[in-house]
mmCIF file of all heavy atoms in Angstrom:
data_model
loop_
_atom_site.group_PDB
_atom_site.id
_atom_site.type_symbol
_atom_site.label_atom_id
_atom_site.label_comp_id
_atom_site.label_asym_id
_atom_site.label_seq_id
_atom_site.Cartn_x
_atom_site.Cartn_y
_atom_site.Cartn_z
ATOM 1 N N ARG A 38 38.096 -37.727 -79.937
ATOM 2 C CA ARG A 38 37.310 -36.476 -80.140
ATOM 3 C C ARG A 38 38.087 -35.430 -80.907
ATOM 4 O O ARG A 38 37.584 -34.785 -81.842
ATOM 5 C CB ARG A 38 36.780 -35.950 -78.855
ATOM 6 C CG ARG A 38 35.889 -34.776 -79.002
ATOM 7 C CD ARG A 38 35.566 -34.051 -77.690
ATOM 8 N NE ARG A 38 34.746 -34.974 -76.807
ATOM 9 C CZ ARG A 38 35.318 -35.414 -75.664
ATOM 10 N NH1 ARG A 38 36.506 -35.091 -75.201
ATOM 11 N NH2 ARG A 38 34.616 -36.235 -74.936
ATOM 12 N N GLN A 96 26.031 -41.466 -106.647
ATOM 13 C CA GLN A 96 26.842 -41.964 -107.644
ATOM 14 C C GLN A 96 28.318 -41.374 -107.536
ATOM 15 O O GLN A 96 28.431 -40.153 -107.250
ATOM 16 C CB GLN A 96 26.400 -41.668 -109.037
ATOM 17 C CG GLN A 96 25.010 -42.315 -109.270
ATOM 18 C CD GLN A 96 25.129 -43.872 -109.310
ATOM 19 O OE1 GLN A 96 25.967 -44.436 -109.862
ATOM 20 N NE2 GLN A 96 24.040 -44.460 -108.698
ATOM 21 N N GLU A 99 34.036 -38.115 -108.289
ATOM 22 C CA GLU A 99 35.465 -37.804 -108.270
ATOM 23 C C GLU A 99 36.040 -38.580 -107.019
ATOM 24 O O GLU A 99 35.330 -38.712 -105.960
ATOM 25 C CB GLU A 99 35.721 -36.343 -108.218
ATOM 26 C CG GLU A 99 37.236 -35.984 -108.251
ATOM 27 C CD GLU A 99 37.796 -36.356 -109.574
ATOM 28 O OE1 GLU A 99 37.372 -35.924 -110.649
ATOM 29 O OE2 GLU A 99 38.686 -37.268 -109.593
ATOM 30 N N VAL A 191 55.801 -50.646 -55.056
ATOM 31 C CA VAL A 191 55.998 -49.594 -54.026
ATOM 32 C C VAL A 191 54.863 -49.680 -53.006
ATOM 33 O O VAL A 191 55.115 -49.588 -51.794
ATOM 34 C CB VAL A 191 55.996 -48.247 -54.629
ATOM 35 C CG1 VAL A 191 56.130 -47.145 -53.598
ATOM 36 C CG2 VAL A 191 57.271 -48.126 -55.625
ATOM 37 N N MET A 202 54.458 -50.859 -38.625
ATOM 38 C CA MET A 202 54.264 -49.764 -37.704
ATOM 39 C C MET A 202 52.882 -49.943 -36.888
ATOM 40 O O MET A 202 52.848 -49.650 -35.774
ATOM 41 C CB MET A 202 54.146 -48.409 -38.502
ATOM 42 C CG MET A 202 55.530 -47.919 -39.080
ATOM 43 S SD MET A 202 55.341 -46.354 -39.825
ATOM 44 C CE MET A 202 54.932 -45.353 -38.474
ATOM 45 N N ARG A 208 52.082 -55.218 -30.532
ATOM 46 C CA ARG A 208 53.122 -56.077 -30.086
ATOM 47 C C ARG A 208 53.551 -55.656 -28.597
ATOM 48 O O ARG A 208 53.694 -56.467 -27.774
ATOM 49 C CB ARG A 208 54.315 -56.092 -30.976
ATOM 50 C CG ARG A 208 55.447 -57.102 -30.580
ATOM 51 C CD ARG A 208 56.694 -56.740 -31.323
ATOM 52 N NE ARG A 208 56.546 -57.053 -32.690
ATOM 53 C CZ ARG A 208 56.808 -58.220 -33.257
ATOM 54 N NH1 ARG A 208 57.189 -59.179 -32.418
ATOM 55 N NH2 ARG A 208 56.617 -58.442 -34.519
ATOM 56 N N PRO A 282 35.900 -34.701 -18.145
ATOM 57 C CA PRO A 282 35.751 -33.396 -17.434
ATOM 58 C C PRO A 282 34.914 -33.371 -16.234
ATOM 59 O O PRO A 282 35.283 -32.624 -15.231
ATOM 60 C CB PRO A 282 35.246 -32.510 -18.573
ATOM 61 C CG PRO A 282 35.576 -33.209 -19.840
ATOM 62 C CD PRO A 282 35.517 -34.621 -19.552
ATOM 63 N N GLU A 315 56.977 -25.907 0.798
ATOM 64 C CA GLU A 315 57.184 -24.565 0.202
ATOM 65 C C GLU A 315 56.126 -24.353 -0.880
ATOM 66 O O GLU A 315 56.158 -25.081 -1.942
ATOM 67 C CB GLU A 315 58.562 -24.494 -0.461
ATOM 68 C CG GLU A 315 58.884 -23.139 -1.014
ATOM 69 C CD GLU A 315 60.283 -23.143 -1.735
ATOM 70 O OE1 GLU A 315 61.064 -24.098 -1.511
ATOM 71 O OE2 GLU A 315 60.608 -22.185 -2.511
ATOM 72 N N VAL A 351 62.700 -34.599 3.902
ATOM 73 C CA VAL A 351 61.707 -34.834 2.879
ATOM 74 C C VAL A 351 61.091 -33.342 2.738
ATOM 75 O O VAL A 351 60.670 -32.659 3.666
ATOM 76 C CB VAL A 351 60.514 -35.768 3.315
ATOM 77 C CG1 VAL A 351 59.561 -35.794 2.258
ATOM 78 C CG2 VAL A 351 61.216 -37.109 3.527
ATOM 79 N N LEU A 357 55.478 -22.695 -10.013
ATOM 80 C CA LEU A 357 54.735 -22.299 -11.145
ATOM 81 C C LEU A 357 55.683 -21.916 -12.267
ATOM 82 O O LEU A 357 56.489 -21.096 -12.063
ATOM 83 C CB LEU A 357 53.821 -21.052 -10.860
ATOM 84 C CG LEU A 357 52.754 -21.207 -9.752
ATOM 85 C CD1 LEU A 357 51.987 -19.959 -9.595
ATOM 86 C CD2 LEU A 357 51.854 -22.495 -10.056
#
Side-chain angles (χ1 to χ4, degrees):
R38 183 188 297 114
Q96 297 294 321
E99 187 61 64
V191 174
M202 291 183 63
R208 182 193 295 271
E315 178 183 353
V351 176
L357 301 180

